[in-house]
Amino acid sequence: MKDKPSDQLLQIAQEITFAKALACNDKTLRVRALRRLKKWLISKSNVENGITQDGFIRLWRGLFYNVWMSDKPLVQEEVVEAISNLIHCFSNFSEAQTFIMCFFQTLSESWFGLDSHRLDKYLMFVRRFLRQSFVLAENYEWKSEHLMELIASFKKAFLKAPLGLLMHVCEIYLEELAKVTKGKLDEDILLEFIKPFGEIMSTSSDVRLIKHIEEFIYMHLLKQSDLGIKHQIKFKAWRKLGCPEGDINVMEEVEVNSEEESTEELKESNFSLDARAGNVDVFLPPIKFNAIAIADHLTALRKHKNTKTKARKRLTDIINKYKTFVRGKYPLGIHKVELVELENEEEIIEEAAMELLEDELETYNEDKLRKPVKKKAKKEELSPTGEWIVTPLKESASNNKGVKSRRNICNNWEVSKISDTPCSTNDSMNLRKDSLTTVSINGKNELKKRKKILKTSKRVSPDKDQFHLNNSEELEKQTNVTTTNEWGDVSWDDQQQTEILVEPKKKFKQTLDLSLKKKSTQNHPTGNKVKTSTPSSGKKVEFVLNRNSVQAEEDYKLSLKKNPVLKFNSEAQPPVGVLKSTPFSSPINPFVLLPNAH
């Protein structure tokens, strides 16, 4: 005969069978398996050789997937509540403690496999199970032995838990403890419950976890205290009144007995642990705590050698706030506000308008002082009619003056500008019709056209006030020169002077010989002029670079003053891209092999 299997193997087989039934996709089988599991745990708790830690892990694997397979909020809530109540099936506290440890171990191993669709129901699962753990400690009347075992198991589980799970436990820890105890908890027991978080905070280097523990453990105790609740009510009323005098201490508390009695009745009648339809808010009774004992505990942790630097700074801040709370002052929230004086909008608009007018006047005065000088210089260079006359220099005047004249003299001739006095229409017609002049040289009159005179000259430049003539010997012989107009009037004095009319600057440049252009190109072979020619046409294009100029700094500043809106924007981007978008994609290279091709 074959040997019968041992009791240990039969128990392992039963655990595996329960795990498979709990993870089944059929809802009726899952519910039936959960009922049978509760009876089986009660029967095993009374036996000497109960369930081991490995057996609890097998069962928790099936319970984890039982929650995974459940759908709909009400069904999920029912399943989670049923699984959490399994903690009360054990007659021995050590087995319940092992059951709690295996729960956190299984959830920590499978935490990163949860997706966003199933995360909410597992967060609810953690809340309900943690609440039943506190209920278990309350059933044992908060005995020190059982309490220390439970806190030790919590600390061991929290140290191995992932960051997300531990942060969620921080958020719900004191809330569930207040719901279970209803605010009737000894201060020393509360200190023992929050000690694991202080130790985890002191040894952690994660800023997120440190701030989370500070906010939801230590600051939560201050906010739910009597001073914290009074400050919150006072602040809401102070803010509605517009923060009078900028200090919250202006508000005074008024006692109303009717409201207090009604609130107490509501608390007793409508006390629920979870939010329900029609009663969304859950009342959390305040927990009494010893601020001095908590400050001393944190001071001891701050002085410990294993405490991190980041945690030490936060511990110092928490200790200072608790010391302020001991002195009777609420260390959190807003107490004073700087009141801003309301300004008149009309005065602001008038000041802005006056500043704008002052800026415009400054720019106008600068333009008035600087620009007309340049315009006068340009007027002196070019006359409005573009006419120039050449007159001989008087020797007597030059001899009398010891200082050299400012005009450039060449061969005892000078170029002077016609006066800018306004002339009549007849005078302007005379200037235009005066292209033919009569020149008397040694008693002989000859008519010469202005074009011929210009051909005999080398170059006339109104810009430099110089005039050169090729036939200098003939001009030196001229003694008697008179000019007459069409009516025979003499327009010059009887002095021996000559008048030669020159075309304007633009017309004169067109009549210059090509020889001057060739000489200028020979003098500046590179850099100043660049000649380019196209094969299609015989035209030549010259780029004169020696006349390029740079914008002065004053002109740039003046343009900024005139257009203050146009500023440099480093983040500006072109509205349209440079590359043109094509509706067709680029062709595929046939010579590139695909990864699946052989």
Side-chain angles (χ1 to χ4, degrees), residues 257-270:
N257 296 325
S258 61
E259 292 183 359
E260 291 181 356
E261 292 176 357
S262 61
T263 53
E264 290 179 357
E265 291 176 358
L266 288 172
K267 292 176 185 177
E268 293 178 356
S269 61
N270 296 327

Side-chain angles (χ1 to χ4, degrees), residues 211-226:
K211 290 183 177 179
H212 226 67
I213 294 173
E214 178 186 0
E215 179 67 23
F216 291 98
I217 299 297
Y218 296 103
M219 296 299 109
H220 178 78
L221 289 174
L222 297 177
K223 291 178 182 178
Q224 58 93 43
S225 62
D226 294 336

Side-chain angles (χ1 to χ4, degrees), residues 28-298:
T28 56
L29 293 177
R30 291 198 305 269
V31 174
R32 189 183 303 168
L34 191 58
R35 291 174 184 172
R36 291 180 179 180
L37 178 64
K38 185 176 180 180
K39 296 178 181 179
W40 186 76
L41 289 175
I42 293 172
S43 62
K44 286 292 182 182
S45 64
N46 297 323
V47 182
E48 294 180 358
N49 297 326
I51 305 171
T52 61
Q53 185 175 358
D54 294 336
F56 280 124
I57 290 175
R58 296 187 195 98
L59 293 174
W60 268 116
R61 185 63 61 183
L63 293 171
F64 177 84
Y65 284 104
N66 193 351
V67 179
W68 182 285
M69 299 299 292
S70 61
D71 292 328
K72 307 297 180 179
L74 295 178
V75 176
Q76 294 168 2
E77 187 176 354
E78 184 180 356
V79 170
V80 166
E81 192 67 28
I83 295 173
S84 299
N85 287 325
L86 293 176
I87 198 172
H88 304 292
C89 298
F90 306 99
S91 60
N92 191 2
F93 188 82
S94 60
E95 291 182 354
Q97 179 188 356
T98 308
F99 188 74
I100 295 169
M101 284 289 299
C102 293
F103 163 74
F104 282 105
Q105 182 179 350
T106 305
L107 197 62
S108 299
E109 291 174 355
S110 306
W111 183 259
F112 294 104
L114 298 176
D115 53 4
S116 60
H117 302 288
R118 295 180 174 88
L119 184 61
D120 292 337
K121 61 183 177 182
Y122 280 99
L123 294 177
M124 180 181 63
F125 190 18
V126 175
R127 181 184 286 272
R128 298 294 178 89
F129 193 84
L130 186 63
R131 181 190 303 167
Q132 295 302 322
S133 301
F134 292 142
V135 171
L136 179 67
E138 187 181 19
N139 293 336
Y140 282 91
E141 298 178 355
W142 308 104
K143 293 180 180 180
S144 60
E145 297 178 359
H146 304 311
L147 186 64
M148 296 305 295
E149 290 180 3
L150 181 63
I151 292 171
S153 62
F154 280 163
K155 182 180 177 181
K156 188 176 179 181
F158 295 162
L159 288 172
K160 295 181 180 179
L163 180 62
L165 177 59
L166 183 55
M167 291 174 70
H168 178 63
V169 170
C170 294
E171 295 173 1
I172 66 175
Y173 193 79
L174 291 179
E175 291 181 1
E176 298 303 322
L177 188 62
K179 290 177 183 178
V180 172
T181 60
K182 298 180 181 180
K184 299 175 183 180
L185 184 65
D186 192 5
E187 295 176 354
D188 296 334
I189 297 175
L190 176 64
L191 180 61
E192 294 296 330
F193 270 115
I194 64 174
K195 273 184 179 180
F197 292 98
E199 295 174 359
I200 293 170
M201 179 181 178
S202 62
T203 57
S204 177
S205 58
D206 195 338
V207 180
R208 297 170 294 177
L209 181 59
I210 292 171
K211 290 183 177 179
H212 226 67
I213 294 173
E214 178 186 0
E215 179 67 23
F216 291 98
I217 299 297
Y218 296 103
M219 296 299 109
H220 178 78
L221 289 174
L222 297 177
K223 291 178 182 178
Q224 58 93 43
S225 62
D226 294 336
L227 285 176
I229 294 171
K230 288 180 181 179
H231 177 79
Q232 292 175 7
I233 297 171
K234 189 187 293 185
F235 178 75
K236 289 180 181 179
W238 183 53
R239 186 175 60 181
K240 286 181 180 179
L241 295 175
C243 303
E245 297 185 11
D247 193 353
I248 197 173
N249 295 324
V250 178
M251 307 295 293
E252 294 181 358
E253 185 179 359
V254 179
E255 295 182 358
V256 180
N257 296 325
S258 61
E259 292 183 359
E260 291 181 356
E261 292 176 357
S262 61
T263 53
E264 290 179 357
E265 291 176 358
L266 288 172
K267 292 176 185 177
E268 293 178 356
S269 61
N270 296 327
F271 183 78
S272 60
L273 299 177
D274 296 299
R276 290 290 184 273
N279 188 12
V280 178
D281 296 332
V282 177
F283 175 71
L284 295 176
I287 304 173
K288 295 181 181 180
F289 62 95
N290 190 355
I292 298 174
I294 294 174
D296 294 339
H297 170 66
L298 295 177

Side-chain angles (χ1 to χ4, degrees), residues 53 137 180 239 254 263 267 302 322 348-349 402 423 506 563:
Q53 185 175 358
V180 172
R239 186 175 60 181
V254 179
T263 53
K267 292 176 185 177
R302 184 183 63 179
Y322 270 82
I348 296 171
I349 294 170
C423 58
K506 295 181 180 178
N563 298 321

